[in-house]
Amino acid sequence: MTDLHRWTSAMRRALELAAEAPSTGDVPIGAVVVDTTGTVIGEGVNVRERDGDPTGHAEIVALREAAGAVGGWRLSGCTLVVTLEPCTMCAGATVLARVDRLVFGAYDDKAGAVGSLWDVVRDRRLNHRPEVTGGVLAEESSALLEEFFARHR
């Protein structure tokens, strides 16, 4: 099984979550954190608009929930699965949380910090570098975003 197929189920859950975000006025991005057994221990959607919180990105919400589930900030052994390539803040949080693996759907040429615009998670100067798999269900992820922005223009 290829890495792209290995994470399809978790990405489908992230896409389900993302589809809920526009009802709050937020950009449709969803994220899940999966533990070593494949169990989802954290979920998140963008809540910046809803909560008026600049850090209310789906990844941050999911990482916080996962940290609560494990009882600490270190998420070693976990995988963060998100529908859009993380920004610099979320890529940094992924590194700081010691997440083992980062999986994302669509690439973000405007703000992506996992290879598109910057490559925060692979910076050799950092003490932790998660494994990265991009492009999982990228078309579905992109379609959600395109539909959202077409309605808001």
Side-chain angles (χ1 to χ4, degrees), residues 27-145:
V27 176
I29 299 172
V32 297
V33 177
V34 180
D35 71 9
T36 57
T37 69
T39 302
V40 173
I41 60 168
E43 296 184 335
V45 297
N46 274 4
V47 293
R48 290 186 314 167
E49 297 298 328
R50 187 193 77 191
D51 295 355
D53 178 1
T55 68
H57 290 207
E59 300 95 321
I60 301 298
V61 174
L63 290 169
R64 284 180 180 148
E65 190 172 291
V70 301
W73 63 268
R74 285 183 186 87
L75 298 176
S76 300
C78 293
T79 301
L80 173 63
V81 179
V82 61
T83 58
L84 182 66
E85 178 183 358
C87 68
T88 53
M89 175 182 68
C90 295
T94 301
V95 169
L96 294 173
R98 307 297 193 271
V99 170
D100 280 8
R101 201 168 298 97
L102 170 62
V103 177
F104 65 89
Y107 286 83
D108 185 353
D109 294 335
K110 294 180 181 176
V114 185
S116 290
L117 196 55
W118 296 285
D119 202 348
V120 172
V121 299
R122 293 185 192 99
D123 191 315
R124 293 187 169 286
R125 296 168 292 183
L126 297 174
N127 64 347
H128 178 76
R129 289 181 298 281
E131 175 186 319
V132 176
T133 301
V136 177
L137 300 180
E139 289 180 15
E140 290 91 332
S141 298
S142 293
L144 265 178
L145 293 163

Side-chain angles (χ1 to χ4, degrees), residues 1-9:
M1 177 184 325
T2 68
D3 248 14
L4 291 177
H5 291 95
R6 178 180 180 195
W7 300 107
T8 300
S9 177

